[in-house]
Amino acid sequence: EVVMTQSPATLSVSPGERATLSCRASQSVSVNLAWFQQKPGQAPRLLIYGASTRATGIPARFSGSGSGTEFTLTISSLQSEDFAIYYCHHYSNRPPGEFTFGPGTTVDNK
Amino acid sequence: QVQLLESGGGVVQPGRSLRLSCAASGFSFSNYGMNWVRQVPGKGLEWVAVIWNGGGDRYYADSVKGRFTISRDNSKNTVHLQMDSLRAEDTAIYYCARIHRALDYWGQGTLVTVSS
């Protein structure tokens, strides 16, 4: 079973600053890695899939990189609406399927 | 547009059963795998189960294996989660989510509370 870890647990950033979030897999997941944003009372929203492809409608300030076991989500210039929890997620696109979430990184206002 | 709407949540006693449903619209349902993911309020996300588009391939998290059953009715564009032998630790918001380039669309969730 793949175990996902994220760092830091909390990231304090001011609007306009750059935010860099890290995710590590316990074994290689190739590029089967997604990032989600979740705000209070809302369902998670897909930001990035395939480690680096932005989902439909996601602003260009969000970018993903990495492969294998090390991944990064970068928010180039944080906007006020970006304060949220961010989860990385290993997924499969075919059976049998393995789906694992990281514990999340909270991005809050410094 | 793609929409997923969960229903069936509520308060249930330990050891009892509950059946969740997720009604899908706005896409060709039979062509997509579907998942259930849960979240204890204020905590992280936990994958629960997947059923692939053919319906024959189903897989579960170890925490629910043998107690939960995922199924789908492609004629009604619906996926279900039958939850038996419920425990207090099953208390969570349950989301259904479509698989396409990761879990690309999610419902708003339905709250299940297991309590005596």
Side-chain angles (χ1 to χ4, degrees), chain A residues 40-99:
Chain A
Q42 297 184 15
R45 177 174 72 143
L46 179 65
L47 299 175
I48 301 286
Y49 64 91
S52 61
T53 303
R54 277 190 301 277
T56 303
I58 301 304
R61 64 180 181 274
F62 291 93
S63 63
S65 63
S67 65
T69 62
E70 301 283 341
F71 301 89
T72 301
L73 175 70
T74 301
I75 310 172
S76 59
S77 177
L78 201 85
Q79 305 298 300
S80 58
E81 62 264 30
D82 300 334
F83 295 117
I85 301 174
Y86 292 83
Y87 295 96
C88 65
H89 169 55
H90 164 53
Y91 62 92
S92 301
N93 278 319
R94 59 180 63 85
E98 184 165 19
F99 301 87

Side-chain angles (χ1 to χ4, degrees), chain A residues 3-8 20-26 29 33-35 65-73 86-90 100-103 105:
Chain A
V3 177
M4 309 300 293
T5 56
Q6 292 185 242
S7 62
T20 302
L21 289 67
S22 296
C23 173
R24 175 175 291 178
S26 61
V29 298
L33 191 285
W35 289 93
S65 63
S67 65
T69 62
E70 301 283 341
F71 301 89
T72 301
L73 175 70
Y86 292 83
Y87 295 96
C88 65
H89 169 55
H90 164 53
T100 313
F101 292 92
T105 291

